[in-house]
Amino acid sequence: MRFRYLDHTADAMIESYGKTLEEAFVNACLAMFNLLTDIDKVKAVKKHTISISSNKHEKLLFDFFDELLFYLDTEHIIFCKFENVSITQKNEKFILKCNAFGDTASNYERHGDVKAPTYNEMKIEKTRTGYKIRAVVDI
């Protein structure tokens, strides 16, 4: 299982999993876009190179969500695939780099909207099998 949704009173709570931190980040983003449409139907025809940095993993995830939602808001891109994802540490900064692929949102039936990421109940933890992320997005 890549991700699942948990009950939340007003927003959407995502729980994602990965053998690596990168995989858990990607699955959290896929879960976020899956709130909008069935991401398995989205074609990977447009590419964006993403590069962000932060001093904490939680801030890095927040900024990753925020960057992807920026493309949704400005270029109407729904992302469905991520390649060459790396999270490295340089000095006291974590750096995330990847290629994100998606398509124009108007090409797909939408069943919701994501307004913004939140820090509410955000948790990134290492488990014995990899990583688990909990994140809430404002819908």
Side-chain angles (χ1 to χ4, degrees):
M1 176 174 23
R2 299 182 302 173
F3 59 81
R4 68 183 181 136
Y5 301 106
L6 304 174
D7 289 335
H8 197 272
T9 53
D11 298 318
M13 181 179 283
I14 296 164
E15 187 170 271
S16 70
Y17 312 93
K19 290 180 182 170
T20 64
L21 184 59
E22 290 87 349
E23 185 178 14
F25 266 55
V26 165
N27 289 336
C29 291
L30 292 173
M32 179 178 69
F33 281 103
N34 197 63
L35 290 166
L36 304 174
T37 192
D38 181 355
I39 56 164
D40 292 332
K41 294 179 180 177
V42 177
K43 296 176 183 170
V45 295
K46 296 185 180 193
K47 174 184 169 185
H48 287 279
T49 300
I50 309 290
S51 180
I52 53 175
S53 64
S54 183
N55 61 345
K56 291 185 175 187
H57 283 138
E58 292 80 6
K59 175 81 167 101
L60 190 68
L61 178 63
F62 181 96
D63 290 347
F64 191 29
F65 281 163
D66 201 41
E67 182 79 4
L68 297 174
L69 290 173
F70 171 79
Y71 285 110
L72 175 65
D73 291 342
T74 60
E75 296 182 26
H76 312 288
I77 304 288
I78 292 179
F79 292 102
C80 63
K81 180 179 173 184
F82 298 87
E83 290 182 347
N84 303 319
V85 183
S86 68
I87 297 174
T88 57
Q89 186 173 3
K90 185 174 182 181
N91 300 321
E92 296 189 17
K93 291 270 188 188
F94 295 102
I95 302 162
L96 182 147
K97 293 183 179 182
C98 74
N99 293 320
F101 298 85
D103 196 5
T104 305
S106 61
N107 293 336
Y108 305 92
E109 182 180 328
R110 292 199 34 190
H111 48 254
D113 196 19
V114 176
K115 296 176 190 172
T118 73
Y119 284 108
N120 184 32
E121 301 182 61
M122 184 182 285
K123 186 176 182 181
I124 300 171
E125 67 179 276
K126 182 153 179 43
T127 67
R128 58 180 182 78
T129 58
Y131 287 85
K132 178 172 79 172
I133 293 175
R134 277 204 180 162
V136 174
V137 293
D138 184 13
I139 54 175

